[in-house]
Amino acid sequence: MVLPVVAVVLGLIILVWSADKFVDGAVGVASFCGMSTLLIGMVVVGFGTSAPEMVVSAISALQGNPALALGNAYGSNIANIALILGVTALITPVIVKKSALKRDLPVLIAITAVAVLLVVDGSVSRLDGVILLLLFAAVMVFNIWSELRAKKKGEFLDTDILENDPAEKAPLGKSLLWLLLGLLLLVASSRALVWGAVEIAQALGVSDLLIGLTIVAVGTSLPELASSIAAARKGEDDLAVGNIIGSNLFNTLAVVGIASTISPMEKIESMVICRDLPVMSALTVLLFVFCLPMRGSKIGADGKRIGRINRIEGTVFLVAYVGYIGVLIAQATGVLK
């Protein structure tokens, strides 16, 4: 039992560190090659912060534990909204840009609905996985096309967030080193994390799904937590919200899509359908509601009210997450059936 626990703890630590270095290296290489901050922000950083979930899910699927991959993806989505955005809003209220309300959040709600429709029959086939990956590609292309179109029209871009990033000025050699080293450590630490989590689950008689929804989900969401808090404290509120939306899109489409394409999930635990999917869906809708401009909200430069997630709403998210984890523990110990 000691070795699996050490593997999980060290795996999580190295996972978070390597993901951070991977993003720094990727941004540096992309900047050196002349990619716009739009593409860096949406593609490179979006991929980088969700890379832990992707690697963990792919490895768990290859090892014959697709339930861990599913729990990791949905558990990360729940943690992203309720835990990460809750903590961020509690530290400092998060302002929400109009583009998130008009485009990004509705897309996330639609994608969540698609996930429910595909999983509600109790399985995720290889065809379902391919559909999710195609949708992921379509969403990415649509977002990039929309931003490029806005840039061509001279409209303000919310995604121009990396102009002062120190990694942007890093030498190419150093950026390549961090990119490759970060990726290698990402794979190695993810493998150790998956192995340790499965060993602990088997020793305690706990399902892989529960471990994926809790330890692995929170652990692989730590990069989003750190970046969201840092962004909010620096006044980059759009980055804090965009980070969560983008990560959830990656998790729902790419993470589940990759895992089910590698190893189809023929029989999903009933708790996913009657507990985890409803919680994830409800939190996604609640996020949209909280982001809506309400009476008493500040007025923006355009004369319209600005959406904001305040500390009270952040507290609601945190209470919801604590309640969710409480239900998981109660069900795992047999207190609640």
Side-chain angles (χ1 to χ4, degrees):
M1 178 65 78
V2 176
L3 190 58
V5 171
V6 172
V8 169
V9 174
L10 289 181
L12 287 175
I13 293 173
I14 298 174
L15 191 70
V16 173
W17 183 84
S18 59
D20 180 64
K21 294 302 179 183
F22 171 77
V23 172
D24 286 346
V27 170
V29 172
S31 297
F32 184 87
C33 295
M35 291 177 63
S36 68
T37 53
L38 160 67
L39 294 179
I40 295 171
M42 291 191 63
V43 180
V44 180
V45 176
F47 170 79
T49 55
S50 290
E53 286 90 342
M54 290 186 189
V55 177
V56 166
S57 295
I59 293 176
S60 60
L62 286 170
Q63 293 179 345
N65 296 291
L68 182 61
L70 194 66
N72 180 29
Y74 294 162
S76 291
N77 284 356
I78 293 170
N80 283 343
I81 297 176
L83 175 62
I84 295 174
L85 205 51
V87 170
T88 304
L90 202 59
I91 294 174
T92 176
V94 179
I95 295 174
V96 183
K97 297 292 179 67
K98 289 188 296 183
S99 59
L101 282 170
K102 291 183 177 180
R103 184 191 65 199
D104 301 326
L105 279 170
V107 169
L108 180 60
I109 291 175
I111 292 303
T112 302
V114 170
V116 172
L117 291 175
L118 290 180
V119 178
V120 74
D121 64 350
S123 66
V124 183
S125 65
R126 184 169 280 114
L127 177 60
D128 292 336
V130 172
I131 291 173
L132 290 173
L133 291 177
L134 289 175
L135 281 173
F136 170 70
V139 169
M140 291 301 297
V141 170
F142 171 73
N143 283 335
I144 294 173
W145 173 80
S146 297
E147 294 294 339
L148 289 175
R149 185 171 175 229
K151 184 176 182 180
K152 188 175 181 180
K153 290 183 177 181
E155 298 176 4
F156 175 76
L157 289 177
D158 291 344
T159 52
D160 192 19
I161 56 178
L162 298 172
E163 56 183 349
N164 295 319
D165 197 312
E168 187 175 288
K169 301 178 181 179
L172 178 61
K174 184 177 180 181
S175 297
L176 283 172
L177 174 63
W178 285 130
L179 180 66
L180 296 176
L181 181 62
L183 184 59
L184 289 174
L185 289 176
L186 199 64
V187 174
S189 59
S190 298
R191 183 179 289 274
L193 178 59
V194 171
W195 176 81
V198 172
E199 289 294 315
I200 292 173
Q202 292 175 345
L204 298 177
V206 179
S207 69
D208 291 347
L209 176 64
L210 179 60
I211 295 295
L213 284 166
T214 54
I215 299 174
V216 180
V218 174
T220 54
S221 292
L222 288 178
E224 285 89 345
L225 176 60
S227 60
S228 293
I229 292 176
R233 294 185 66 178
K234 292 178 181 180
E236 297 285 358
D237 303 270
D238 53 330
L239 176 57
V241 176
N243 187 24
I244 300 303
I245 295 174
S247 179
N248 281 22
L249 285 172
F250 269 87
N251 290 339
T252 305
L253 297 175
V255 173
V256 178
I258 290 172
S260 56
T261 300
I262 294 173
S263 178
M265 307 174 200
E266 297 178 356
K267 188 176 181 180
I268 298 173
E269 291 189 30
S270 60
M271 285 293 100
V272 173
I273 300 173
C274 64
R275 181 192 62 201
D276 306 321
L277 270 177
V279 170
M280 184 180 75
S281 302
L283 285 173
T284 303
V285 174
L286 192 60
L287 173 61
F288 178 77
V289 173
F290 282 173
C291 289
L292 290 173
M294 300 295 182
R295 175 176 290 183
S297 300
K298 292 183 178 180
I299 305 297
D302 58 358
K304 296 182 179 180
R305 296 191 183 278
I306 300 174
R308 188 179 72 160
I309 303 175
N310 58 38
R311 288 188 173 88
I312 294 176
E313 293 163 341
T315 302
V316 171
F317 276 143
L318 279 177
V319 170
Y321 189 72
V322 171
Y324 172 71
I325 294 299
V327 170
L328 290 182
I329 295 174
Q331 290 179 334
T333 56
V335 174
L336 182 65
K337 296 182 180 181

